[in-house]
Amino acid sequence: MRYLRYILVFALMVLGLAKVGAQNDRNFIRQGNRAYHKQKWAAAETQYRKAISKNQKNAQAVYNLGCALMMQQKDSMAMIQFENASKLETNKIRRSRSYHNMGVVMQQHQQYAQAIGCYENALRCNPQDNATRYNLALCKKLLKNQKQNKQNDKNKNNKDKNKDKDKQNKDQNKDQNKDKNKNDKNKNNQNKNNQQNQNNQDKMSKDNAEQLLNAAIQQEKDTKRKMQKAMSQPRRKQYEKNW
């Protein structure tokens, strides 16, 4: 992203020789710094941890360890060290660097609201830090865009849901209409079949009636013919016998 630019603040912090016991801390820190400049992040981490093992309240060693961890993309571990350094450090300028780098980690993970809080803490400690001020303004803009994108995605999802719901309702109505048409067709076919059967029955009844009528007429004709034939023949005269 062309707007995303952030600055990692790294300072090589060296302790004075206030105490003899502090000599070991200083040596380990110097060795860690040499490794850091050679981009040997793991070796630098080892030396800073050795310094901390000598003095757990060594804010400079804790801060430098956070930087070495961050360069190895061990962000969650780096955040712990920066937070510890911000609590141990009494110098506001050096404390601001811990807050600044915490903001960088949050910014890298697109947690802009948290990054803004870290940058604001850094500016409270060092109001003259222009790099922090730039990152703060950038995160505010990115946060606004992020919220807008989420709202757009939400609106799009709602629109897609409504579209799917409309399609579902349309398909459901289509299926219902299809079923209704099918039922209507079946009903029409049934009615048609019933009508056909009724017509066939009526036709059969009519045919039977005609057959019976024709048979009766024919029988009547036959009977009449027989009677006419019988009447047309001469009768034989019958004589009574005398006994």
Side-chain angles (χ1 to χ4, degrees), residues 72-88:
Q72 297 177 79
Q73 297 182 348
K74 299 178 181 179
D75 292 344
S76 59
M77 298 173 64
M79 284 291 293
I80 294 174
Q81 301 305 322
F82 290 139
E83 186 175 359
N84 290 339
S86 68
K87 295 176 181 178
L88 293 171

Side-chain angles (χ1 to χ4, degrees), residues 208-221:
N208 290 337
E210 289 179 353
Q211 289 177 1
L212 293 174
L213 179 61
N214 291 334
I217 293 173
Q218 185 63 37
Q219 185 177 6
E220 183 180 357
K221 287 181 178 180

